[in-house]
Amino acid sequence: MRSFLLLFFFGFLVTLDTAKGVHLELHGKTGISRSKLQRRTSISGLESTVEDDQNIQYMTNITLNGQLFGVLIDTGRKVNYSQAISDLFVTSQVPGAVDEHYQAEIGYASGGAAGEVFSATMGFAGYQIDAQYFIFANSTDGFTQSVDGLIGLGPYTGSVIRFIGGTAAADPPLDRIFRSNDTISNFVAILLDRSDDPDEPYPGDLAIGEVLTEYEDIQTQPQHPVTSVMVPGNQHWMTLLDENGIIGPDGKPITIKTQVTDTPYPNNATVVFDTGFTFPQVPSHVAEALYGNVPGASFTNIAGLGEIWALPCDQELNATFLFAGIKFPIHPLDLNFNMGDNQCVGAFQPFSYDDTEDGVVMYDMVLGMAFLRNAYLLIDFGSFVDGAPPGTNAPYIQLLPITNAVNASADFARVRLDNGSNVDDLASLASHSSTTTTTTTTTTKSNAKLPPWVIGIIFGVVISVLLLGICIYYCCRRRRLQRVSSTQATWVPYAPQSYRPLYDPSPQGAYDMHLAPNANPVHVPEYRSAWDAHY
């Protein structure tokens, strides 16, 4: 009994730990003014979900010396290409933070941040990181007041703080976590999603070293190698699209030839995955193939956005991306964005190859939120972790499609049923839409509002109570049998014996009669029955 209670207590603790995991809920925020719309937008987060307003920020929570910050998450790049994004900055002072006595500046496509570098104890995704370096940005541009900062999830080679600091102590948060514990798998998994929950229309999830249960199939998907760049300090999370790997609205592949300098794969476009882009950036001929044949479409220039295709809001479009032969349908609401005031645009925006480093083209397109809301993304850092030992696997990317094309079409019809619908009507219609179904598994995502750790605790308590009940039952049964045994009469030869009950199963050998050992064959043999031992 004592052993069982210990096992019960230990099992309950394990259940709590498993339920807690290392998942961070991401929250999508809308309502940014039109003047703040950029090709590259911030991503925002507490908990979240998605409707028809497409200018979304995905955010998550961190702590520094116990102080809470809501920060954007970003896997992408900087506008000046001198470094990729992998740094952390916040816009408020952190009590007790240590001044590291140097400054750093980061430039983004729609702004920047600069300030003194400090260190503090950081809480992130269930981990505590001592003396984590960050920028206290007393100067920012392009960020709303509701944003407390930004955390970059790129390789450490793209860290300005690490580059200036010159030591591993200045590594980005993810590298610090991976290096602190060899049992942690060196990957992050990111979900930017939409929901049928009107209170949380833009949910998301960020996990370190584990994946969401309903999307475990991502770990069996093809491993896409992270392609390397020719310019030091410009490494991104990028891989190769299949040859002519975009199926347009007409059902035909769009011809794509890479523009990447000296690539060994001339027929495969190189794509960057960036959670910081609302509007994916694609070659101009790809955008034209997607939108150019739409009745009423026009190529225009919108302040704050630049050149983009304007579309009728009720025009449903279909497109599919292919990676390693696997199809990734794009939701029609992610192809045709509603900007408000009955104005809609094509989300996949023409991209200029003027964005180069010393004349070197490093990628062909940037797949931001409009793509990533249709795919679960896993990034394995592999040998890109600072100080990775020899023999560490090369970094790779895995993708899992999460949009059901049939359900997505029904969603679009409900949301865009009437071009004259106001925002409240669209939100109401969107609240009845659910497109979070994977095309590679029959598992459907739960819409439960309880946090995962609460569900884990409930599950652990139920299982533990059941186990305790079983233990009590067997203990009571054992004591009952002991009492019966102590009161049973001692067997006496030739004394009256009880009959074997009909329901008492026959012991092995009950019907086999055996000759007694050393019996004299001239006498009648003495037989013994298997029942003799019972009575």
Side-chain angles (χ1 to χ4, degrees):
M1 178 66 178
R2 182 180 301 173
S3 299
F4 178 83
L5 289 176
L6 290 174
L7 180 62
F8 160 77
F9 182 68
F10 175 75
F12 182 68
L13 291 179
V14 169
T15 303
L16 288 178
D17 184 66
T18 302
K20 178 182 178 182
V22 286
H23 292 269
L24 278 178
E25 291 180 318
L26 306 181
H27 305 273
K29 297 176 63 177
T30 61
I32 299 173
S33 67
R34 287 287 298 276
S35 62
K36 292 294 184 181
L37 289 175
Q38 301 287 343
R39 282 189 170 197
R40 178 191 184 85
T41 184
S42 321
I43 52 181
S44 104
L46 297 170
E47 282 185 30
S48 276
T49 29
V50 174
E51 299 167 352
D52 194 35
D53 183 348
Q54 303 299 341
N55 186 42
I56 311 302
Q57 296 179 310
Y58 285 92
M59 301 176 64
T60 192
N61 288 333
I62 66 168
T63 60
L64 291 170
N65 282 355
Q67 183 173 335
L68 186 67
F69 293 88
V71 297
L72 311 180
I73 62 168
D74 198 342
T75 61
R77 59 181 177 86
K78 291 177 24 180
V79 67
N80 60 10
Y81 302 95
S82 62
Q83 301 282 333
I85 294 178
S86 54
D87 285 318
L88 167 67
F89 80 81
V90 295
T91 56
S92 301
Q93 279 192 309
V94 177
V98 177
D99 191 343
E100 299 299 333
H101 303 293
Y102 68 92
Q103 294 192 337
E105 179 178 0
I106 307 173
Y108 303 95
S110 59
E116 190 77 6
V117 174
F118 288 82
S119 64
T121 299
M122 179 181 181
F124 178 51
Y127 295 98
Q128 178 176 302
I129 313 168
D130 296 331
Q132 176 60 53
Y133 284 35
F134 64 94
I135 299 173
F136 165 43
N138 51 16
S139 173
T140 62
D141 179 41
F143 295 93
T144 64
Q145 293 182 350
S146 62
V147 174
D148 296 331
L150 181 148
I151 182 169
L153 305 179
Y156 83 95
T157 54
S159 167
V160 176
I161 295 175
R162 172 68 170 85
F163 178 76
I164 299 175
T167 68
D171 273 340
L174 285 179
D175 283 76
R176 295 288 308 282
I177 292 173
F178 293 148
R179 297 185 65 181
S180 68
N181 191 333
D182 292 338
T183 64
I184 301 172
S185 298
N186 294 352
F187 70 78
V188 294
I190 301 171
L191 177 71
L192 307 183
D193 204 0
R194 64 177 75 250
S195 167
D196 63 351
D197 186 342
D199 296 325
E200 292 185 19
Y202 305 94
D205 184 88
L206 169 66
I208 299 175
E210 63 179 57
V211 301
L212 288 167
T213 302
E214 58 266 46
Y215 296 132
E216 287 180 340
D217 284 351
I218 192 171
Q219 295 183 298
T220 66
Q221 299 303 297
Q223 296 180 358
H224 306 282
V226 173
T227 55
S228 299
V229 297
M230 300 174 58
V231 181
N234 284 271
Q235 184 63 57
H236 318 297
W237 297 125
M238 57 191 189
T239 192
L240 298 175
L241 187 69
D242 285 2
E243 182 174 350
N244 298 330
I246 302 177
I247 308 299
D250 59 359
K252 298 178 181 179
I254 299 173
T255 301
I256 305 174
K257 296 293 182 183
T258 185
Q259 301 296 313
V260 173
T261 304
D262 296 332
T263 176
Y265 307 101
N267 295 322
N268 298 86
T270 297
V271 302
V272 174
F273 298 103
D274 188 348
T275 59
F277 265 87
T278 295
F279 300 105
Q281 308 291 285
V282 298
S284 57
H285 77 279
V286 172
E288 184 174 1
L290 292 173
Y291 306 116
N293 294 324
V294 174
S298 62
F299 191 57
T300 185
N301 194 308
I302 298 178
L305 281 178
E307 294 182 335
I308 199 166
W309 284 90
L311 303 173
C313 289
D314 61 355
Q315 180 62 59
E316 179 180 351
L317 295 170
N318 299 298
T320 300
F321 283 67
L322 288 92
F323 291 91
I326 297 176
K327 295 180 179 179
F328 290 80
I330 305 302
H331 198 294
L333 292 174
D334 289 321
L335 285 165
N336 185 344
F337 276 17
N338 190 343
M339 303 290 293
D341 299 326
N342 200 31
Q343 181 180 10
C344 295
V345 298
F348 288 74
Q349 187 175 21
F351 173 73
S352 171
Y353 288 108
D354 294 336
D355 293 331
T356 63
E357 178 72 14
D358 297 329
V360 176
V361 177
M362 292 176 288
Y363 48 83
D364 296 291
M365 61 185 73
V366 180
L367 298 184
M369 297 180 213
F371 173 83
L372 291 173
R373 279 201 290 267
N374 301 277
Y376 190 30
L377 172 69
L378 185 152
I379 301 172
D380 191 296
F381 282 54
S383 57
F384 278 4
V385 175
D386 192 9
T392 302
N393 65 276
Y396 60 84
I397 293 169
Q398 289 177 295
L399 298 163
L400 180 72
I402 61 174
T403 295
N404 182 298
V406 175
N407 292 348
S409 178
D411 289 342
F412 186 89
R414 285 191 290 267
V415 173
R416 301 286 177 86
L417 186 62
D418 181 3
N419 273 349
S421 297
N422 58 35
V423 174
D424 292 335
D425 292 336
L426 290 174
S428 176
L429 287 168
S431 70
H432 298 288
S433 165
S434 177
T435 61
T436 315
T437 56
T438 172
T439 59
T440 60
T441 177
T442 58
T443 304
T444 57
K445 185 176 181 180
S446 170
N447 292 321
K449 294 183 180 180
L450 286 176
W453 64 269
V454 174
I455 297 174
I457 290 177
I458 294 173
F459 179 77
V461 170
V462 171
I463 295 298
S464 301
V465 169
L466 288 175
L467 292 175
L468 183 59
I470 292 172
C471 175
I472 293 173
Y473 168 77
Y474 277 105
C475 287
C476 293
R477 183 172 181 271
R478 181 181 178 184
R479 290 178 180 177
R480 177 174 169 272
L481 291 175
Q482 288 174 342
R483 288 196 299 268
V484 171
S485 175
S486 63
T487 58
Q488 189 176 30
T490 304
W491 181 83
V492 179
Y494 307 111
Q497 300 180 32
S498 61
Y499 289 98
R500 177 176 63 88
L502 293 176
Y503 56 80
D504 191 357
S506 300
Q508 182 67 31
Y511 302 105
D512 295 331
M513 305 303 288
H514 302 279
L515 187 66
N518 302 318
N520 189 339
V522 300
H523 292 89
V524 177
E526 177 186 356
Y527 290 96
R528 293 188 303 174
S529 167
W531 294 113
D532 294 343
H534 283 238
Y535 303 97

